[in-house]
Amino acid sequence: MAANRLPVKRVREGDTAKWVPSPGGLVSALRPVMSGNPDAVWAGWAGVPGSESEPFEVDGFQCHPVGISQGELQLFYEGFSNATLWPLFHDALVPPGYHRTWWDAYRTVNQRYAATVAGLAANGATVWIHDYHLMLVPGLLREARPDLRIGFFLHIPFPARELYIQLPWRTQIINGLLGADLIGMQTPLGADNLCRAVTHITGAKTTGKLIRRNGRATQVGTFPIGIDTERIAGLAASPEVLMRSGEIRDSLGSHRTVLLGVDRLDYTKGIEVRLRAFRELLAEGRLSADNCVLVQIAEPSRSQVTGYAKVRRAVEQMVGEVNGDFGVMGHPVVHYLHQSYPLEELVAMYLMADVMLVTPLRDGMNLVAKEYVACRSGHTGVLVLSEFTGAAQELRAAELINPHDIEGLKNAVEAAVHRTDKEAKKAMRAMRKAVHTNTAPRWAAGYLDRLETC
Ligand code: G6P
C-alpha cells in the first residue's frame, strides 16, 4: 500500500514526540483493512519533514516512512498536491495554481515513492496506490517492476474534462494513472470523467470502462468507499462514550435541538454556507437560541495552503457575528471548535446530535455522513446531506440539499429540526442498511478481488 500519509503522524509535545492518528477519510477507511496483516506494508509520509526513517509496526502491519524535506513539502504537498490538484479536482472552487517548480517536486517525490515501493514489493506482489498525491506512481512502478499487479484508487472527485484539460501536465498524469491495472473511483461520474479525459488526451479507445493503450489494458471501476462500522458501533455502545455523550448534551442544554457539523477546515466543505443558512433562520425567527444550538468542529488542516487561511477567517468571523447577534448569556448559539478530536469523542458527539449537517460544495465521498448514520442505532436523527458528495449516491434517504441554493438549504435545516422521530426513523433505517452493506473491509475486498482478475 502506498499513500501520501502513513496511518499515524508524528507530533511534538514539548520535548517529547508521539504518534497520533493521521487526519482524513483515507486513513480512517484504510487502517482497518491493513490491520492484523503482518505481510502488508504501508509506505507513506510520517507527517513531519525529514529524511526516511526506520520502519515500525502499527496495528499488526508494517509502516515504511518515506522522507519528504521541508522544501518538498512546500512544493509537492502544499503546492502541486493541495494548491493545484485539490482545487482543480474540486471544480476549481478556488483557482488552481500552475507552477513548474511545484510540478518538478511532484515528479521527484512520486519517483521516490515508486522506488521505495519497487524495493519493498515481493515478486508478483499486489500494490495498491492511493490518491491524488501519487498519480505518477502507477506508471513509474510499471516501468520498474512489470511483474507487479498495480491498483490505484482516487479518493477525491475527478473533474469534468473541460476543467481537467487546464492542467499543463495533463498528459503526464494520465500516463501515470494508466500504469495501473485497475483505477478505482468513488462515483460513476468520476469514472466517466476520467475516461473522457483519457480519450480526449491520448486518443485511446475505451470500451465500456476498459482503456487499451500501448498493448496494455487498464480497467476503470466505481468502488464507493465505506467505513469501519464495527468499530463505530462498538464505540457508540460503550458506557464511557454514552456517558460522555450525555455530558456534552447536558452542557448544551438538553431541551435544545442540537445541530452538528464535523469537517476538516477546508473550503470544499461548505462550512460558510451552513453558517449563513443558520444565521438567516435565526434572523427570520424560524429557529432561536432557546430551542437550538449548532456545534461546528473544524479540524485544523493545510493552514499554509492558499485558500485555507481565508476560509478560516471567514468562518470565525461569521461564528462571532452569529453569537454576537443571537446568543444569550451563558448560551452561545454556535459552539465552534478549531481542534482535532479522537474518534471516541466524535462518536459521543454523533450520538447526542439531532441533526447532522454535511454540506460540502464538492466531496469525493464524505465519511462523516456515514459515521453519523452508523452511530444512530436507535434510528433517530436527521442527516442533511449535500448532493455534491459521493455519499449522496448511496444515502438517498438523507435530506438532500444543493449547497448553492441557500433558500433550499434553509428549508431543509428547518424541516430537519422539526422532523418527528417517526419520519426520521424510516429514513435512518434505509441509510443504515446502505452503510452496513458497504463497509470499509467489503469495499477493499471488492476492489482487490476485481484487481486480481484484471
Ligand atoms: C482527504 C484526502 C486524503 C488526505 C486527507 C487529509 O481525505 O483524500 O488523501 O490525507 O484529506 O488531508 P491532509 O492534507 O492532511 O493529508
Side-chain angles (χ1 to χ4, degrees):
M1 182 99 86
N4 179 50
R5 279 190 188 276
L6 285 172
V8 286
K9 65 173 185 168
R10 197 138 179 86
V11 290
R12 290 208 77 79
E13 255 178 21
D15 288 344
T16 55
K18 61 173 187 172
W19 293 99
V20 299
S22 297
L26 180 156
V27 162
S28 66
L30 290 182
R31 194 168 165 166
V33 172
M34 294 288 277
S35 177
N37 185 349
D39 292 334
V41 184
W42 183 323
W45 173 53
V48 281
S51 50
E52 186 169 331
S53 51
E54 285 302 305
F56 59 94
E57 205 186 292
V58 165
D59 286 355
F61 63 89
Q62 291 294 313
C63 286
H64 190 100
V66 176
I68 300 185
S69 71
Q70 182 62 48
E72 285 170 342
L73 269 184
Q74 282 163 5
L75 304 170
F76 154 76
Y77 170 74
E78 291 165 7
F80 200 78
S81 298
N82 287 313
T84 304
L85 295 175
W86 179 270
L88 181 65
F89 281 42
H90 287 86
D91 293 351
L93 289 169
V94 307
Y98 300 121
H99 302 290
R100 284 162 288 181
T101 49
W102 293 2
W103 163 249
D104 290 343
Y106 185 80
R107 235 182 14 201
T108 305
V109 173
N110 272 248
Q111 280 160 349
R112 185 172 311 140
Y113 268 90
T116 303
V117 174
L120 288 169
N123 194 33
T126 295
V127 176
W128 196 3
I129 299 150
H130 293 270
D131 231 358
Y132 59 101
H133 316 82
L134 303 182
M135 290 197 285
L136 298 178
V137 175
L140 293 166
L141 202 53
R142 172 73 54 202
E143 271 174 38
R145 292 285 306 272
D147 59 297
L148 299 175
R149 200 175 281 281
I150 303 174
F152 178 87
F153 189 81
L154 186 68
H155 291 255
I156 66 173
F158 193 94
R161 187 188 72 190
E162 293 71 16
L163 271 176
Y164 178 74
I165 61 175
Q166 285 185 9
L167 186 65
W169 306 280
R170 61 196 187 188
T171 308
Q172 291 94 318
I173 294 284
I174 292 290
N175 284 339
L177 290 174
L178 292 183
D181 295 299
L182 176 63
I183 301 175
M185 293 289 184
Q186 300 274 29
T187 63
L189 180 65
D192 284 349
N193 285 345
L194 171 66
C195 289
R196 281 196 205 111
V198 169
T199 309
H200 179 85
I201 289 164
T202 67
K205 285 227 158 21
T206 61
T207 324
K209 291 277 175 294
L210 190 70
I211 303 168
R212 290 188 189 283
R213 186 141 184 274
N214 301 336
R216 284 198 58 256
T218 298
Q219 183 77 55
V220 178
T222 304
F223 302 87
I225 199 167
I227 58 165
D228 187 353
T229 43
E230 229 174 83
R231 174 147 188 244
I232 301 266
L235 288 174
S238 94
E240 295 79 21
V241 173
L242 284 164
M243 200 170 84
R244 175 70 190 132
S245 177
E247 275 170 22
I248 302 174
R249 179 82 201 202
D250 288 346
S251 72
L252 294 169
S254 41
H255 64 286
R256 292 160 108 193
T257 301
V258 179
L259 299 98
L260 175 66
V262 174
D263 309 84
R264 275 186 311 101
L265 184 42
D266 193 306
Y267 52 80
T268 58
K269 301 290 183 185
I271 303 173
E272 289 161 278
V273 166
R274 188 179 312 171
L275 285 167
R276 196 171 316 136
F278 190 58
R279 176 170 67 191
E280 289 189 19
L281 286 168
L282 291 166
E284 291 163 18
R286 292 160 70 182
L287 297 179
S288 82
D290 278 339
N291 62 26
C292 69
V293 55
L294 169 63
V295 177
Q296 177 63 55
I297 308 297
E299 184 179 13
S301 187
R302 306 179 195 164
S303 54
Q304 306 304 317
V305 179
T306 328
Y308 287 77
K310 195 166 160 219
V311 73
R312 181 175 176 192
R313 276 195 303 276
V315 163
E316 293 182 352
Q317 181 172 340
M318 222 181 280
V319 169
E321 284 170 9
V322 179
N323 277 332
D325 289 344
F326 303 104
V328 287
M329 191 71 84
H331 286 286
V333 70
V334 181
H335 288 255
Y336 166 77
L337 298 141
H338 181 241
Q339 294 167 42
S340 301
Y341 288 94
L343 189 59
E344 289 76 2
E345 184 76 359
L346 291 178
V347 169
M349 292 188 216
Y350 296 140
L351 281 170
M352 62 88 208
D354 302 296
V355 177
M356 185 78 207
L357 299 178
V358 180
T359 61
L361 304 171
R362 199 89 188 95
D363 210 335
M365 176 52 65
N366 198 292
L367 296 181
V368 162
K370 293 189 172 182
E371 286 174 358
Y372 177 67
V373 169
C375 286
R376 310 298 302 186
S377 57
H379 301 118
T380 57
V382 183
L383 173 65
V384 176
L385 180 62
S386 164
E387 290 167 11
F388 296 93
T389 61
Q393 298 290 316
E394 293 164 274
L395 305 180
R396 305 305 298 169
E399 187 68 47
L400 293 177
I401 55 98
N402 171 1
H404 301 281
D405 170 11
I406 191 90
E407 289 303 329
L409 175 57
K410 283 161 62 184
N411 292 339
V413 172
E414 189 185 22
V417 167
H418 297 301
R419 175 106 355 125
T420 64
D421 275 0
K422 197 171 159 218
E423 291 165 329
K425 278 182 174 170
K426 196 167 163 229
M428 190 53 79
R429 263 199 196 95
M431 292 192 284
R432 285 177 63 79
K433 198 165 166 219
V435 167
H436 282 91
T437 307
N438 180 31
T439 60
R442 283 202 199 135
W443 161 79
Y447 179 91
L448 292 170
D449 282 354
R450 178 86 80 84
L451 181 58
E452 288 309 307
T453 58
C454 275

